[in-house]
Amino acid sequence: MEFAGKTVLFTGAAGGLGAESALAYMRAGARVLCVDIDETKIAALEDRALAFEQGSLAIERLDLGDLAGLERGLAQLVEREGRVDIVINNAAIYPSRPFEDFTLGDYQAVQRVNVEAGVLCVRAALPGMRANGWGRIVNVASVTFYGGWANLSPYVASKAALVGLTRAWAREFGAYGVTVNAIAPGAFPTDAEKIHPDPDGYTRHVLDHQAVKRRGRPDDIAQALLFLTSDRAGFVTGQTLNVDGGWVMQ
């Protein structure tokens, strides 16, 4: 029950990589505030959560693309919960097409969901963390930041922004007892891979480039998040941990 008494604000917690991590936090005793609007995935997460006696789950149906509505919802959430101890900025959108086919509006839409919504989550949680002298923030970046994937320029740019914010926030919030880190997942067989026209060929490509010759599993992400948000990682901040089977090494 390592996270008993802790409240986790987790965006995209019902999704492919988020759900397993949300349940892992519950298994460790946490209260998980799942910010998501995908009703099918929410229902699946709620069904799985019924099996847990530990922890608790609350669904927060907040649209990350509506920043004004999100800010209002987060204020109400913090007032209801008292404080948020851990923020996981996980939700993302990832349109794929050549650079020339993206509009400035496309970039702004990706930035809103992938970056600015996370800024609002941290703004809502930070006063309570600071008052408590303890907090953990993890931004979910991507190995595409290191590799510069083609046809994903708004997404890659948004993940680069998260890495930059991770370092700036870590420097600023450390005096409050708050650590800030990022994880950079590699290729995981989730809905995100549906953008690839040849799934089998993509799997072969992934395994050829990874040092570990298996596909990533959602629990690989969960274990990284649990470590970085625990007291065991209290002296780790400003870092980006690649969770990619040794695909990208730096």
Side-chain angles (χ1 to χ4, degrees):
M1 302 294 285
E2 186 174 20
F3 292 91
K6 296 286 194 270
T7 298
V8 183
L9 177 62
F10 199 139
T11 68
L17 293 182
E20 198 66 41
S21 296
L23 295 172
Y25 276 112
M26 288 182 62
R27 194 178 296 117
R31 175 165 173 75
V32 178
L33 311 178
C34 165
V35 179
D36 215 307
I37 56 174
D38 187 318
E39 293 298 339
T40 300
K41 292 178 180 178
I42 288 171
L45 177 61
E46 288 180 316
D47 284 346
R48 293 182 68 189
L50 291 174
F52 290 81
E53 295 182 1
Q54 316 96 305
S56 62
L57 176 69
I59 304 299
E60 313 294 338
R61 290 174 172 83
L62 300 174
D63 183 354
L64 300 185
D66 174 10
L67 296 181
L70 174 63
E71 190 166 28
R72 290 193 299 271
L74 289 170
Q76 295 168 1
L77 177 156
V78 170
E79 182 176 4
R80 182 192 75 214
E81 298 292 331
R83 73 167 188 264
V84 169
D85 302 290
I86 297 166
V87 174
I88 310 294
N89 285 319
N90 169 66
I93 57 176
Y94 37 85
S96 175
R97 49 187 175 270
F99 170 77
E100 294 91 338
D101 295 338
F102 282 113
T103 67
L104 181 58
D106 294 328
Y107 277 85
Q108 292 167 335
V110 172
Q111 190 81 0
R112 260 196 312 277
V113 173
N114 296 11
V115 181
E116 293 171 8
V119 171
L120 291 181
C121 289
V122 171
R123 281 175 58 88
L126 186 63
M129 293 179 177
R130 186 173 184 175
N132 195 42
W134 193 98
R136 299 286 185 267
I137 299 165
V138 178
N139 295 317
V140 178
S142 168
V143 295
T144 62
F145 163 68
Y146 300 102
W149 266 234
N151 299 322
L152 287 170
S153 54
Y155 174 79
V156 174
S158 73
K159 295 305 182 177
L162 287 180
V163 172
L165 285 171
T166 296
R167 296 172 183 177
W169 288 343
R171 185 71 65 187
E172 186 170 347
F173 303 164
Y176 312 153
V178 177
T179 67
V180 189
N181 291 287
I183 63 169
F188 284 76
T190 65
D191 286 348
E193 287 198 356
K194 293 179 180 178
I195 65 176
H196 296 285
D198 180 8
D200 291 338
Y202 184 67
T203 291
R204 290 192 297 272
H205 171 79
V206 169
L207 295 179
D208 284 345
H209 287 80
Q210 286 181 182
V212 178
K213 301 304 181 183
R214 68 163 173 83
R215 295 306 307 272
R217 297 186 289 259
D219 187 60
D220 295 321
I221 298 297
Q223 294 306 314
L225 292 176
L226 290 173
F227 170 68
L228 288 174
T229 56
S230 71
D231 285 329
R232 290 171 287 143
F235 204 58
V236 179
T237 195
Q239 307 304 310
T240 300
L241 174 64
N242 290 1
V243 187
D244 65 350
W247 188 346
V248 175
M249 301 183 189
Q250 87 284 342

